[in-house]
Amino acid sequence: MSDVHEIPERSGVAFRLNRGDRLVVIDPRGEQVADLLAFDAVDTDEVISSGRTLDYAETIRLTTGHKLYSNRSNVLLEIVEDDVGVHDFLLTPCSRDTFHHFYPDLPVHRGCFGNLAAALEPYGIVPDRIPVAFNCFMNVPVDGETGKLRVLPPVSKAGDRVVFAAHRDLIIGLTACSAPDSNGGTFKPIHYRIEAAS
Ligand SMILES: [Zn+2]
Protein backbone atom coordinates (compact mmCIF):
# COMPACT_ATOMS: atom_id res chain seq x y z
CA MET A 1 0.00 0.00 0.00
CA SER A 2 1.42 3.37 -0.99
CA ASP A 3 1.84 6.16 1.55
CA VAL A 4 -1.12 8.33 2.47
CA HIS A 5 -0.31 12.05 2.45
CA GLU A 6 -2.28 14.59 4.45
CA ILE A 7 -3.18 18.06 3.19
CA PRO A 8 -3.88 20.06 6.38
CA GLU A 9 -7.08 22.07 6.61
CA ARG A 10 -7.22 25.19 4.37
CA SER A 11 -3.99 24.37 2.50
CA GLY A 12 -2.83 22.86 -0.78
CA VAL A 13 -0.07 20.92 -2.51
CA ALA A 14 1.27 20.21 -5.99
CA PHE A 15 3.06 17.10 -7.19
CA ARG A 16 3.84 15.06 -10.25
CA LEU A 17 1.58 12.21 -11.36
CA ASN A 18 2.93 9.96 -14.09
CA ARG A 19 0.97 8.43 -16.93
CA GLY A 20 -0.70 5.25 -15.71
CA ASP A 21 -0.53 6.25 -12.05
CA ARG A 22 -3.70 6.44 -10.03
CA LEU A 23 -4.46 9.31 -7.68
CA VAL A 24 -6.72 8.40 -4.75
CA VAL A 25 -8.36 11.45 -3.14
CA ILE A 26 -9.84 10.64 0.28
CA ASP A 27 -12.19 12.66 2.48
CA PRO A 28 -11.01 11.31 5.85
CA ARG A 29 -13.67 12.87 8.08
CA GLY A 30 -16.51 13.52 5.63
CA GLU A 31 -18.08 16.71 4.20
CA GLN A 32 -14.77 18.15 2.96
CA VAL A 33 -14.07 19.45 -0.55
CA ALA A 34 -10.76 19.04 -2.42
CA ASP A 35 -10.06 21.20 -5.49
CA LEU A 36 -8.10 19.30 -8.15
CA LEU A 37 -6.12 20.74 -11.08
CA ALA A 38 -4.10 18.86 -13.69
CA PHE A 39 -1.57 20.35 -16.11
CA ASP A 40 0.41 18.54 -18.79
CA ALA A 41 3.82 18.05 -17.20
CA VAL A 42 5.74 19.04 -20.35
CA ASP A 43 3.57 21.90 -21.61
CA THR A 44 1.71 23.50 -18.72
CA ASP A 45 -0.34 25.63 -21.12
CA GLU A 46 -2.42 22.45 -21.47
CA VAL A 47 -4.74 22.14 -18.48
CA ILE A 48 -8.02 20.52 -17.51
CA SER A 49 -11.03 22.30 -18.95
CA SER A 50 -14.46 22.36 -17.36
CA GLY A 51 -16.03 23.53 -20.61
CA ARG A 52 -14.52 20.80 -22.77
CA THR A 53 -15.27 18.11 -20.19
CA LEU A 54 -18.92 19.06 -19.63
CA ASP A 55 -19.42 19.45 -23.38
CA TYR A 56 -18.19 15.93 -24.13
CA ALA A 57 -19.77 14.31 -21.05
CA GLU A 58 -23.16 15.94 -21.79
CA THR A 59 -23.76 16.15 -18.05
CA ILE A 60 -22.51 18.12 -15.08
CA ARG A 61 -22.72 15.00 -12.86
CA LEU A 62 -19.29 13.46 -13.42
CA THR A 63 -18.45 10.09 -11.90
CA THR A 64 -16.83 6.72 -12.67
CA GLY A 65 -16.10 6.34 -16.37
CA HIS A 66 -16.03 10.06 -17.14
CA LYS A 67 -12.87 11.62 -18.56
CA LEU A 68 -11.49 15.04 -17.68
CA TYR A 69 -10.41 16.77 -20.90
CA SER A 70 -7.89 19.53 -21.46
CA ASN A 71 -8.31 22.86 -23.21
CA ARG A 72 -6.90 21.02 -26.26
CA SER A 73 -9.51 18.22 -26.03
CA ASN A 74 -7.06 15.58 -24.82
CA VAL A 75 -7.92 13.32 -21.88
CA LEU A 76 -5.73 14.15 -18.87
CA LEU A 77 -7.53 12.18 -16.15
CA GLU A 78 -10.26 9.55 -15.97
CA ILE A 79 -12.44 8.86 -12.96
CA VAL A 80 -12.06 5.13 -12.33
CA GLU A 81 -13.68 4.77 -8.88
CA ASP A 82 -16.08 7.03 -7.01
CA ASP A 83 -17.73 6.42 -3.64
CA VAL A 84 -19.74 9.64 -3.74
CA GLY A 85 -20.93 10.58 -7.24
CA VAL A 86 -21.49 14.23 -6.30
CA HIS A 87 -18.69 16.59 -7.37
CA ASP A 88 -18.57 20.01 -9.00
CA PHE A 89 -16.85 21.24 -12.16
CA LEU A 90 -18.66 24.58 -12.51
CA LEU A 91 -17.18 26.90 -9.89
CA THR A 92 -13.75 28.47 -9.59
CA PRO A 93 -11.43 27.82 -6.65
CA CYS A 94 -12.34 29.90 -3.60
CA SER A 95 -10.12 32.95 -3.25
CA ARG A 96 -9.65 36.25 -1.42
CA ASP A 97 -12.34 37.64 -3.73
CA THR A 98 -14.72 34.83 -2.74
CA PHE A 99 -14.35 35.87 0.88
CA HIS A 100 -14.97 39.54 0.06
CA HIS A 101 -18.07 38.57 -1.94
CA PHE A 102 -19.74 35.92 0.23
CA TYR A 103 -18.19 36.28 3.69
CA PRO A 104 -17.61 40.01 4.29
CA ASP A 105 -17.79 39.50 8.07
CA LEU A 106 -15.18 36.70 8.21
CA PRO A 107 -11.40 37.05 8.12
CA VAL A 108 -10.19 36.93 4.52
CA HIS A 109 -8.37 33.76 3.49
CA ARG A 110 -6.39 33.24 0.28
CA GLY A 111 -8.50 30.15 -0.30
CA CYS A 112 -7.93 27.29 -2.71
CA PHE A 113 -6.88 29.75 -5.41
CA GLY A 114 -4.08 31.21 -3.29
CA ASN A 115 -3.06 27.78 -2.06
CA LEU A 116 -2.95 26.41 -5.60
CA ALA A 117 -1.03 29.43 -6.88
CA ALA A 118 1.61 29.00 -4.17
CA ALA A 119 1.90 25.24 -4.67
CA LEU A 120 2.13 25.51 -8.48
CA GLU A 121 4.62 28.39 -8.56
CA PRO A 122 7.68 26.08 -8.39
CA TYR A 123 6.39 24.42 -11.58
CA GLY A 124 6.34 27.74 -13.41
CA ILE A 125 2.54 28.01 -13.42
CA VAL A 126 1.35 31.56 -12.78
CA PRO A 127 -1.98 32.40 -11.09
CA ASP A 128 -3.65 33.58 -14.30
CA ARG A 129 -3.26 30.05 -15.71
CA ILE A 130 -5.46 28.54 -12.97
CA PRO A 131 -8.82 27.47 -14.45
CA VAL A 132 -12.00 26.07 -12.93
CA ALA A 133 -10.89 23.16 -10.74
CA PHE A 134 -12.55 19.77 -10.52
CA ASN A 135 -14.00 20.13 -7.03
CA CYS A 136 -14.01 16.66 -5.50
CA PHE A 137 -16.94 16.11 -3.13
CA MET A 138 -18.37 19.64 -3.70
CA ASN A 139 -22.16 19.61 -3.72
CA VAL A 140 -23.59 22.20 -6.12
CA PRO A 141 -27.17 21.29 -7.02
CA VAL A 142 -28.65 23.11 -10.01
CA ASP A 143 -32.36 23.82 -10.32
CA GLY A 144 -33.21 22.42 -13.75
CA GLU A 145 -35.96 24.98 -14.34
CA THR A 146 -34.40 28.23 -13.16
CA GLY A 147 -30.69 27.39 -13.40
CA LYS A 148 -30.21 28.59 -9.82
CA LEU A 149 -27.08 27.19 -8.15
CA ARG A 150 -26.71 26.36 -4.49
CA VAL A 151 -23.65 25.30 -2.51
CA LEU A 152 -24.64 22.67 0.04
CA PRO A 153 -22.55 20.53 2.41
CA PRO A 154 -20.85 17.60 0.66
CA VAL A 155 -22.62 14.26 0.87
CA SER A 156 -19.26 12.48 1.32
CA LYS A 157 -18.84 10.37 4.45
CA ALA A 158 -15.62 9.70 6.36
CA GLY A 159 -13.29 7.58 4.26
CA ASP A 160 -15.04 8.15 0.93
CA ARG A 161 -12.73 8.28 -2.08
CA VAL A 162 -12.58 9.25 -5.71
CA VAL A 163 -9.85 7.71 -7.85
CA PHE A 164 -8.35 9.21 -11.02
CA ALA A 165 -6.16 7.49 -13.62
CA ALA A 166 -3.57 9.68 -15.36
CA HIS A 167 -3.59 9.52 -19.16
CA ARG A 168 -0.53 11.79 -19.38
CA ASP A 169 2.44 12.81 -17.25
CA LEU A 170 0.84 15.55 -15.16
CA ILE A 171 1.41 18.23 -12.58
CA ILE A 172 -1.41 18.00 -10.06
CA GLY A 173 -2.65 20.74 -7.72
CA LEU A 174 -4.84 19.60 -4.81
CA THR A 175 -6.33 21.40 -1.82
CA ALA A 176 -8.34 21.01 1.33
CA CYS A 177 -10.92 23.70 0.59
CA SER A 178 -11.12 26.84 2.71
CA ALA A 179 -14.67 28.12 2.07
CA PRO A 180 -17.18 27.68 4.92
CA ASP A 181 -20.32 26.90 2.89
CA SER A 182 -18.60 24.33 0.66
CA ASN A 183 -17.53 22.23 3.63
CA GLY A 184 -20.51 22.19 5.96
CA GLY A 185 -19.08 25.05 8.03
CA THR A 186 -15.92 23.31 9.29
CA PHE A 187 -12.44 22.89 7.82
CA LYS A 188 -10.92 19.44 7.67
CA PRO A 189 -7.89 17.82 6.04
CA ILE A 190 -7.82 15.87 2.79
CA HIS A 191 -5.81 12.70 2.27
CA TYR A 192 -4.35 11.42 -0.98
CA ARG A 193 -2.35 8.48 -2.19
CA ILE A 194 -0.51 7.80 -5.45
CA GLU A 195 -0.70 4.25 -6.77
CA ALA A 196 2.18 4.02 -9.22
CA ALA A 197 1.78 2.17 -12.49
CA SER A 198 3.46 -1.21 -12.18
ZN1 LIG B 1 -11.93 26.18 -1.84
Side-chain angles (χ1 to χ4, degrees):
M1 183 74 75
S2 53
D3 289 346
V4 172
H5 305 276
E6 177 163 297
I7 305 172
E9 64 180 46
R10 305 188 104 183
S11 70
V13 296
F15 52 87
R16 179 159 175 130
L17 188 70
N18 292 319
R19 181 180 178 182
D21 290 353
R22 290 186 171 206
L23 171 63
V24 183
V25 179
I26 305 155
D27 180 356
R29 298 187 197 166
E31 294 193 11
Q32 175 62 44
V33 168
D35 286 22
L36 170 74
L37 291 177
F39 298 80
D40 183 278
V42 175
D43 180 355
T44 55
D45 282 341
E46 183 160 12
V47 61
I48 56 164
S49 166
S50 168
R52 294 282 176 203
T53 299
L54 300 183
D55 193 357
Y56 299 141
E58 301 182 46
T59 177
I60 60 170
R61 188 57 65 85
L62 302 174
T63 185
T64 306
H66 283 120
K67 299 175 170 74
L68 305 189
Y69 287 84
S70 74
N71 52 327
R72 297 175 188 161
S73 293
N74 297 307
V75 176
L76 299 188
L77 290 167
E78 179 176 350
I79 302 172
V80 293
E81 292 178 38
D82 182 5
D83 290 335
V84 180
V86 178
H87 313 283
D88 170 68
F89 206 10
L90 296 173
L91 303 182
T92 53
C94 64
S95 68
R96 297 182 65 85
D97 304 315
T98 309
F99 277 82
H100 288 304
H101 187 96
F102 286 111
Y103 310 105
D105 298 329
L106 293 183
V108 171
H109 191 277
R110 68 180 184 176
C112 290
F113 188 91
N115 288 328
L116 288 165
L120 291 165
E121 199 214 344
Y123 296 95
I125 297 165
V126 299
D128 281 344
R129 305 301 301 177
I130 294 176
V132 172
F134 183 82
N135 302 308
C136 304
F137 313 122
M138 190 173 182
N139 182 13
V140 183
V142 180
D143 184 305
E145 290 297 317
T146 66
K148 176 77 176 167
L149 302 174
R150 289 183 299 160
V151 175
L152 298 183
V155 298
S156 48
K157 303 285 187 283
D160 279 350
R161 338 178 308 158
V162 56
V163 183
F164 303 87
H167 283 229
R168 290 271 190 93
D169 291 346
L170 300 170
I171 305 299
I172 298 290
L174 189 64
T175 71
C177 178
S178 308
D181 289 351
S182 306
N183 301 292
T186 60
F187 307 116
K188 300 154 302 280
I190 283 291
H191 289 177
Y192 71 95
R193 200 170 69 232
I194 296 171
E195 297 176 350
S198 52

